[in-house]
Amino acid sequence: MVAIWSICLGNLRRRKVQNSLIALLLLLSTLLINTALTVISNSENLYEDLHRETKGSHELLNLTKGQHDPQRVEEWWASQKGITASVLLPYKPLAGVMHHGEDIPNLYIYMMNTPDRPFGTDELVFAQGKEVVQPEPGTIWIPTSLAYKNDVSIGDELQFKAGEEPLRLTVSAVVIDLPQGGPFSTTARIWMNNTDYQHDLNSVPGADSYLMGIRFDDYSQRAGYWERFESFLGTPFMEERTTYEQISAFYFIMNKIIGFVMSFLGIVMMLVALFTIGFTISDAILSNYKTIGIFKSLGLSSSKIIYTYIAQYSFLSLLTIIPGLILSRFLSGIIIEQSLSFLKTDHSPIHIQGGGTELIVGFGILLLILLCVLLYASKARSIQPMQAIRYGMSEAAHSRITKRWTEGHKRVKEFERWPVPFVIGLRNVTKNLKGSILMVILTTVTSAVLVFGLVLLNSINQMQETSPLWGYDSSDVALMVVNNSTFNRESIEADIQADPRVLHLNWAGPAIGVVPADKTQSSGSTGNHSQSVSIPLTVVDGSLDEIGFASLSGRNPHNRNEISIGINISRQLKKELGDIIELYIEGERHSFTVTGIYQSIANMSNQARVTADAVNKLSTDVGYINLKNSADAGEIVQQLNDKYGSSIQSIKQQTLLDSVFKEAAAVLLIPMSILGLLFLMVTCLIIYSTCRIHIRKETKTYGIYKSIGLTSNALRGAVTWGIVALSAIGASLGIICGVHLLPSLLRGLLSSYGIVKLPLLMQWTGITLLALLIMAVASVGCWIASRVIRSTSPRILITE
């Protein structure tokens, strides 16, 4: 045992650089893998814990069209066993809110008449401010999604466009509003005092709308409840209905993307670490072949020699896995705090869980390392003491080298016509084949990480260029109707169409389409509990083509009996182009032919588009303006806001997209930057270590080169250019992986969110610069490692 520990400690002392590098790889792979798993599991756990604590609803009913009696609906659900139903929550919709004199864009407001708490479901959690039963007169509660994103604090005044004069209310509390306050939400519930609601919103036209939450004791039984409920109504439920999957999805999407990238790269880094361990053990056995033969001749068994390597790498693993797990908690905390900031309160910070996950990850990584060490260290079994002492290698290997040396003299003339630096660089690469493969793999992975990160962030930042493929329009300016009482469509339309800068103007509004229960039985269903499907509709008065809506297949609807459906509706209803869909709209049954299928990140593609002929009366809430020159958008926005600011809010499309997706870019920026820097650092260090090992092996050869007149810098340059050529190959492969392979894997993740064709924008200038950066990092690592050549003197030949 003493001999084993002596050899183990000797290996650790002699190979400090290699051991340090392997330790770093193990640390980083542990960090990435555990961080990815912690981020993914904690995102769901934090949401589900809060959903359970607040009695979060599994379905949210939005009664806006007057198709059903709200009291009757509430009474039925409240009377059901196994159901927790909220009280009816009256509200009036608005669009248009100002903070510090500036409009908050792309935000629809539900002005809630706050009932006495508790509500029954979706209880509010106070993130900031004093918890009271109702807001005080003149004050409001706002959701964290509105407050944190727009830097609204307690005591700030918000102005709402609710009539001729704006309604001014002061923020007294910030609350977590689980069903309506998630990431990328464009809707916010503003909780008002009952007296303020009755007095200040009288001027807002229309009757109250109602929200109602439903929570099932057993979520799997919801289909049976809906079958009985619609039997009670005598018709399908014809109002808007939001499911648990739709409510919760966008709380997880960013962390799923980050977790996917980190877990994939962590696994890749672990494979690199295992390859490096195998390469190092093989190199150590070959370098110490004679020494191992002497150990065996002295009575040390093969098993004990193998145990020395197991002990060495067990020590390194424990030295790195434990800190990696600890560091992953901090990194996970940063990512989760940023991506789930809407669930954070001042008095209850987000707590990271995952002790069990850490143990499994740590044990799994240790087991992989030991299996790898055992596999490669077993090569020591084949060492024969006599051959090792005589040849310093096996007799067969000695014969092969002798044969290659003889054949090499015959091939010398083939290289005489090539420049000497080229031949030296090529020889360095081909003779160190395993190390060269490792460098190509590393530069490929690093390039793929950097290119994928650049492409993804660039695509989000430049989303205006691909907005139709994300389910949005491609117009230049959007007009949001913020005050129906003062909105005069004919006047605004005449004014806009008279402007010579305007190319097209089209209007749109919302509606709800309901597929009857007998049409929605899914595959695998027994048919006992089929239920209706509520589909949000975009109803367009004008041309969907002019607005810029795109389809994955088919075309936009042009006629009254045509419909374009989201990809997830197509999957759920099993409808393709040319199929017939029957929908209830405004209580009337319609038959539509599917003319197009599209993807949309909004509503997870659970939506559809029809023309205004399909409804009796369009409730216009947005207008789309296309300009002859998009550069005029800013000027037109300003003019329209100055003239019609009391009834509409005019916004550039880029502003609307930024209000949603700048948040995604900000969340992705930190982890992608960290990953890029880590891989650059690891690539540089591994290339340095690998080159250093090989150069030290070839000390005699470089001494010969010096004796015939080659300078140290000439030799270093030749070796470096060989590594640069390798890194160029790796960077090229990495670009292919970063542009095609990683996005295709990400598409599989986003498919459930309604995105099956990832709209990416290639930034070839940036991609080229990243490839050059990889090559520069590789050359720096090699150049630093080649410093040993300067100390190589031809005198060693005399010594030899």
Side-chain angles (χ1 to χ4, degrees):
M1 195 65 183
V2 174
I4 292 174
W5 280 111
S6 298
I7 296 170
C8 175
L9 292 174
N11 288 338
L12 289 171
R13 282 195 301 268
R14 283 193 303 273
R15 295 175 175 266
K16 293 185 183 70
V17 175
Q18 283 176 288
N19 290 326
S20 299
L21 179 61
I22 290 171
L24 178 64
L25 283 171
L26 295 177
L27 174 70
L28 293 178
S29 54
T30 304
L31 174 66
L32 291 177
I33 292 172
N34 194 62
T35 299
L37 294 176
T38 303
V39 166
I40 293 172
S41 63
N42 272 270
S43 298
E44 297 186 5
N45 290 341
L46 286 168
Y47 177 83
E48 288 171 359
D49 288 347
L50 192 58
H51 190 265
R52 184 169 52 254
E53 289 172 14
T54 60
K55 299 179 181 178
S57 57
H58 290 122
E59 292 191 344
L60 196 65
L61 309 185
N62 192 359
L63 304 163
T64 62
K65 304 298 182 182
Q67 297 295 318
H68 306 285
D69 180 3
Q71 296 294 336
R72 191 165 176 247
V73 171
E74 181 199 25
E75 288 170 4
W76 190 90
W77 284 106
S79 66
Q80 301 302 302
K81 292 182 179 179
I83 295 287
T84 302
S86 74
V87 298
L88 283 176
L89 300 171
Y91 76 92
K92 286 198 173 180
L94 295 178
V97 58
M98 298 179 70
H99 179 233
H100 292 325
E102 294 185 1
D103 286 317
I104 297 177
N106 200 24
L107 187 63
Y108 291 91
I109 301 295
Y110 292 169
M111 305 299 290
M112 309 298 299
N113 184 3
T114 310
D116 290 336
R117 299 167 60 218
F119 302 153
T121 66
D122 299 317
E123 303 297 344
L124 302 177
V125 176
F126 282 72
Q128 297 175 7
K130 183 180 179 182
E131 183 172 354
V132 291
V133 176
Q134 265 205 353
E136 297 294 328
T139 68
I140 50 174
W141 302 335
I142 65 171
T144 51
S145 56
L146 169 59
Y148 296 166
K149 191 190 301 185
N150 298 284
D151 295 323
V152 182
S153 304
I154 292 176
D156 287 358
E157 182 183 81
L158 295 181
Q159 300 177 33
F160 301 92
K161 298 180 180 179
E164 293 292 340
E165 292 296 326
L167 173 60
R168 302 173 186 271
L169 296 167
T170 302
V171 177
S172 62
V174 176
V175 297
I176 297 175
D177 189 358
L178 215 54
Q180 295 283 335
F184 316 115
S185 175
T186 57
T187 304
R189 295 198 287 192
I190 306 297
W191 301 89
M192 297 180 64
N193 176 272
N194 176 264
T195 305
D196 290 342
Y197 181 89
Q198 300 294 343
H199 179 267
D200 295 330
L201 297 183
N202 280 334
S203 60
V204 177
D208 285 350
S209 298
Y210 294 90
L211 284 170
M212 179 181 174
I214 300 169
R215 180 176 177 85
F216 300 96
D217 291 350
D218 183 357
Y219 187 55
S220 64
Q221 299 300 314
R222 65 191 184 282
Y225 283 105
W226 273 97
E227 185 179 32
R228 294 193 295 274
F229 175 57
E230 292 186 331
S231 176
F232 163 76
L233 291 177
T235 66
F237 180 72
M238 298 189 192
E239 301 278 11
E240 184 179 357
R241 172 181 161 206
T242 307
T243 64
Y244 173 76
E245 290 75 17
Q246 293 170 314
I247 292 170
S248 61
F250 288 99
Y251 281 97
F252 308 144
I253 184 170
M254 292 310 303
N255 284 348
K256 282 187 176 180
I257 293 173
I258 293 169
F260 154 75
V261 174
M262 295 187 81
S263 58
F264 176 80
L265 298 177
I267 291 170
V268 170
M269 189 169 280
M270 176 55 66
L271 293 176
V272 170
L274 295 177
F275 186 90
T276 306
I277 289 171
F279 169 76
T280 304
I281 292 174
S282 299
D283 177 72
I285 289 174
L286 291 175
S287 300
N288 299 295
Y289 207 92
K290 184 177 291 188
T291 305
I292 294 172
I294 293 171
F295 286 154
K296 280 194 169 186
S297 69
L298 295 174
L300 200 65
S301 66
S302 297
S303 297
K304 290 182 178 179
I305 292 172
I306 292 171
Y307 288 153
T308 64
Y309 292 105
I310 292 176
Q312 176 185 341
Y313 287 100
S314 296
F315 174 75
L316 284 177
S317 299
L318 293 174
L319 199 65
T320 54
I321 289 174
I322 294 172
L325 295 174
I326 295 171
L327 288 173
S328 74
R329 275 194 159 261
F330 292 102
L331 182 57
S332 303
I334 293 170
I335 294 172
I336 293 171
E337 284 268 348
Q338 189 175 16
S339 58
L340 292 180
S341 60
F342 297 164
L343 301 183
K344 183 175 63 175
T345 70
D346 285 354
H347 48 81
S348 178
I350 293 175
H351 296 288
I352 306 300
Q353 304 170 359
T357 304
E358 289 172 357
L359 289 175
I360 293 171
V361 170
F363 181 76
I365 291 175
L366 179 62
L367 184 62
L368 274 176
I369 293 167
L370 294 181
L371 287 174
C372 176
V373 171
L374 184 62
L375 176 66
Y376 282 92
S378 296
K379 293 179 180 180
R381 294 185 185 279
S382 61
I383 296 178
Q384 300 298 320
M386 292 303 295
Q387 294 178 11
I389 295 170
R390 182 177 182 182
Y391 300 115
M393 61 189 73
S394 68
E395 188 172 359
H398 183 265
S399 299
R400 284 196 301 270
I401 289 174
T402 304
K403 184 178 179 181
R404 283 203 301 268
W405 178 260
T406 305
E407 292 175 351
H409 281 289
K410 298 177 183 178
R411 292 198 300 266
V412 167
K413 292 185 179 179
E414 297 176 15
F415 291 98
E416 287 181 351
R417 62 180 181 272
W418 298 105
V420 173
F422 174 82
V423 175
I424 294 173
L426 181 63
R427 183 178 182 277
N428 179 65
V429 168
T430 54
K431 191 171 183 180
N432 183 28
L433 192 58
K434 285 186 178 179
S436 298
I437 293 172
L438 177 59
M439 291 182 218
V440 170
I441 292 172
L442 267 175
T443 49
T444 298
V445 172
T446 304
S447 179
V449 172
L450 294 175
V451 168
F452 175 68
L454 174 68
V455 169
L456 184 61
L457 290 172
N458 180 62
S459 300
I460 293 174
N461 281 323
Q462 302 295 324
M463 189 169 283
Q464 187 177 20
E465 297 182 30
T466 57
S467 58
L469 291 176
W470 292 95
Y472 299 100
D473 61 281
S474 63
S475 59
D476 297 301
V477 177
L479 305 178
M480 294 173 60
V481 179
V482 299
N483 192 343
N484 280 303
S485 62
T486 59
F487 173 63
N488 187 322
R489 173 174 164 176
E490 290 75 17
S491 173
I492 294 174
E493 193 171 275
D495 194 8
I496 292 173
Q497 290 180 338
D499 193 324
R501 297 168 295 180
V502 173
L503 189 62
H504 305 122
L505 170 62
N506 295 278
W507 299 93
I512 297 297
V514 178
V515 183
D518 58 334
K519 301 295 182 182
T520 62
Q521 293 185 27
S522 59
S523 62
S525 170
T526 61
N528 296 328
H529 296 301
S530 61
Q531 55 181 310
S532 61
V533 175
S534 175
I535 305 176
L537 301 176
T538 299
V539 185
V540 175
D541 186 2
S543 169
L544 283 86
D545 296 325
E546 289 178 359
I547 290 174
F549 289 135
S551 298
L552 290 174
S553 58
R555 60 170 176 81
N556 287 316
H558 297 156
N559 303 311
R560 177 175 184 167
N561 63 340
E562 295 178 341
I563 190 171
S564 180
I565 58 176
I567 185 69
N568 275 340
I569 291 297
S570 172
R571 291 167 174 167
Q572 185 176 4
L573 302 182
K574 296 179 175 56
K575 298 294 184 180
E576 299 296 336
L577 296 180
D579 290 346
I580 303 298
I581 290 181
E582 293 187 351
L583 289 180
Y584 280 96
I585 304 175
E586 298 174 334
E588 297 181 5
R589 192 160 184 156
H590 300 259
S591 291
F592 294 96
T593 301
V594 178
T595 62
I597 297 172
Y598 65 93
Q599 64 177 16
S600 174
I601 193 70
N603 288 88
M604 301 170 62
S605 290
N606 292 303
Q607 54 181 226
R609 298 166 180 160
V610 295
T611 64
D613 296 333
V615 299
N616 295 323
K617 183 180 179 181
L618 175 64
S619 177
T620 305
D621 70 348
V622 63
Y624 299 98
I625 300 176
N626 293 91
L627 303 176
K628 295 175 182 177
N629 185 355
S630 58
D632 295 328
E635 185 179 351
I636 288 179
V637 163
Q638 186 63 47
Q639 290 174 357
L640 289 172
N641 283 333
D642 290 342
K643 190 170 184 179
Y644 300 105
S646 63
S647 59
I648 65 167
Q649 184 182 30
S650 179
I651 313 169
K652 291 197 297 185
Q653 190 215 32
Q654 184 65 59
T655 304
L656 292 174
L657 294 173
D658 287 348
S659 68
V660 177
F661 292 101
K662 283 293 184 183
E663 179 185 339
V667 171
L668 283 172
L669 183 61
I670 291 177
M672 295 305 294
S673 299
I674 291 173
L675 288 175
L677 289 173
L678 286 177
F679 272 87
L680 281 173
M681 180 179 67
V682 168
T683 299
C684 185
L685 289 174
I686 289 183
I687 289 175
Y688 165 77
S689 174
T690 307
C691 290
R692 190 168 179 267
I693 292 169
H694 186 65
I695 289 169
R696 286 192 179 278
K697 283 184 181 179
E698 297 295 314
T699 300
K700 187 189 296 184
T701 304
Y702 293 122
I704 295 172
Y705 290 150
K706 279 192 173 185
S707 70
I708 60 176
L710 286 176
T711 65
S712 295
N713 285 339
L715 290 170
R716 294 176 73 188
V719 172
T720 301
W721 277 113
I723 301 304
V724 169
L726 272 184
S727 65
I729 295 171
S732 302
L733 293 173
I735 289 173
I736 296 171
C737 292
V739 169
H740 297 290
L741 177 61
L742 287 176
S744 68
L745 295 175
L746 183 59
R747 273 196 295 272
L749 176 68
L750 292 179
S751 176
S752 61
Y753 287 87
I755 298 295
V756 295
K757 181 180 179 182
L758 194 59
L760 295 178
L761 289 173
M762 300 299 126
Q763 225 282 355
W764 290 110
T765 301
I767 290 172
T768 304
L769 291 175
L770 287 177
L772 294 175
L773 176 62
I774 301 296
M775 294 164 64
V777 167
S779 66
V780 167
C782 181
W783 182 261
I784 295 173
S786 66
R787 285 183 303 181
V788 69
I789 294 176
R790 291 188 306 185
S791 60
T792 302
S793 171
R795 292 180 183 177
I796 62 171
L797 300 176
I798 299 171
T799 305
E800 290 286 339

